[in-house]
Amino acid sequence: MPPAIIKLLLAAARLPLPWLFLHDAFVPAGWIGLASLILVRPALRGLGGIALLVAACTTAIAIAFHWSPEAMAYAVDSSWWFGLGISCVLFLIDGARLAAPIWIAGWLCKSPYGLWFAGGVVAVDVEGMYQSVFPWRLGHFQLHWPLLAQSADLFGAGMLTLLAYAFAGVIANGWLAWGESRGSAAQSEGIPSRERFTRLAPVAVCLFAVFYGWWSIDRWSRIAAENPRLRVAVVQVYPGHNLSVGIAQQLTSYTAKEADLVCWPESIGGTYAMQLEDLADR
């Protein structure tokens, strides 16, 4: 295997970092990982290339959602090994779902500078047709940056996935342009001189998202300041633990003293536990 492919696949290991470390500082790592997969796509050929791409994406999904075996075992009241078996199947399916847009983009787009757009459009379509578990939408790792998430108001949740590809496109296209400036034939071969718009398009998409996000947050902040306020709390605990629901109930009882409304995300317990008739306090 060429060293360049090995290096790019190792760089793609950054993709699961935003899910491993729930902090806004790791959002760019997701873009770098996705950009690495985009850059390596032209070098992948045949069934071996497909297998390599699916393996890389499946590994990224498995790392990001390493808690899945415990959560699945808890859902069906079974052993950790049984949960691991279920999780491996889901990891493979969702890994193929993550890899498919990148692979298809290589067929649809002849220019490496346009792979981000082709892959992003296909990814939005695939996510709309098949609702995966890990993650529901790729772009959700950017929710740590509310400024970017505002664009979903205009175009729906799929915009976050397209935006992830756009930021990855800025990185990938910048890398390709840098390679051209150094006279690298491997990077410059087959790239027409009229592709300036294609090269700069992801920058325009990202700038639009940033400016719209700034405007939207400022607008809603002014509206909120002019209206009565309601104290809302959101409770979320580690979803893979067998006692997660009980811990959430205790935390809710404590939080309710200082909030008007307490919300539970759908993933509050990690799964839909079959042994629970309901989540009401008794």
Side-chain angles (χ1 to χ4, degrees):
M1 184 184 301
I5 295 181
I6 297 177
K7 292 179 180 178
L8 287 174
L9 290 178
L10 290 176
R14 295 179 174 87
L15 183 58
L17 292 181
W19 287 281
L20 282 178
F21 306 99
L22 302 179
H23 192 278
D24 54 5
F26 289 92
V27 171
W31 299 332
I32 295 174
L34 187 58
S36 301
L37 295 176
I38 292 175
L39 286 169
V40 79
R41 172 60 183 92
L44 301 177
R45 296 287 188 274
L47 294 178
I50 295 176
L52 189 61
L53 183 60
V54 171
C57 292
T58 301
T59 301
I61 293 291
I63 294 174
F65 301 96
H66 61 280
W67 47 264
S68 176
E70 184 180 357
M72 292 297 173
Y74 171 55
V76 297
D77 194 20
S78 184
S79 67
W80 182 88
W81 290 104
F82 186 81
L84 178 62
I86 297 177
S87 298
C88 287
V89 175
L90 294 176
F91 289 155
L92 182 59
I93 294 175
D94 287 341
R97 177 182 181 265
L98 178 60
I102 300 172
W103 186 261
I104 295 174
W107 288 343
L108 298 178
C109 187
K110 297 181 179 179
S111 169
Y113 287 95
L115 287 177
W116 72 271
F117 182 73
V121 171
V122 174
V124 172
D125 290 338
V126 171
E127 290 177 348
M129 292 185 293
Y130 171 65
Q131 305 296 324
S132 76
V133 180
F134 311 110
W136 181 56
R137 289 189 184 275
L138 174 64
H140 281 183
F141 73 83
Q142 300 165 121
L143 294 178
H144 299 294
W145 286 15
L147 188 70
L148 301 180
Q150 305 306 309
S151 57
D153 294 344
L154 296 178
F155 305 104
M159 179 60 185
L160 295 180
T161 295
L162 183 61
L163 192 57
Y165 271 87
F167 275 98
V170 171
I171 298 172
N173 288 1
W175 178 269
L176 291 172
W178 178 73
E180 280 188 345
S181 67
R182 298 188 62 186
S184 173
Q187 296 290 343
S188 61
E189 182 180 357
I191 300 177
S193 59
R194 298 181 179 180
E195 287 191 349
R196 180 172 301 179
F197 173 79
T198 304
R199 301 179 184 189
L200 296 178
V203 177
V205 173
C206 295
L207 289 177
F208 168 79
V210 170
F211 281 109
Y212 175 78
W214 172 82
W215 175 85
S216 179
I217 291 176
D218 179 70
R219 173 176 177 268
W220 285 109
S221 296
R222 286 187 279 105
I223 292 176
E226 297 170 358
N227 288 274
R229 297 185 179 184
L230 183 70
R231 294 177 61 87
V232 180
V234 178
V235 174
Q236 176 67 70
V237 299
Y238 175 61
H241 197 277
N242 291 339
L243 302 178
S244 57
V245 173
I247 296 174
Q249 290 174 324
Q250 295 177 6
L251 186 58
T252 299
S253 299
Y254 173 79
T255 306
K257 301 175 183 178
E258 302 182 5
D260 300 306
L261 175 66
V262 180
C263 301
W264 279 17
E266 185 180 11
S267 60
I268 185 66
T271 60
Y272 303 104
M274 294 181 180
Q275 65 267 36
L276 294 177
E277 294 181 0
D278 58 69
L279 298 177
D281 290 318
R282 293 178 175 81

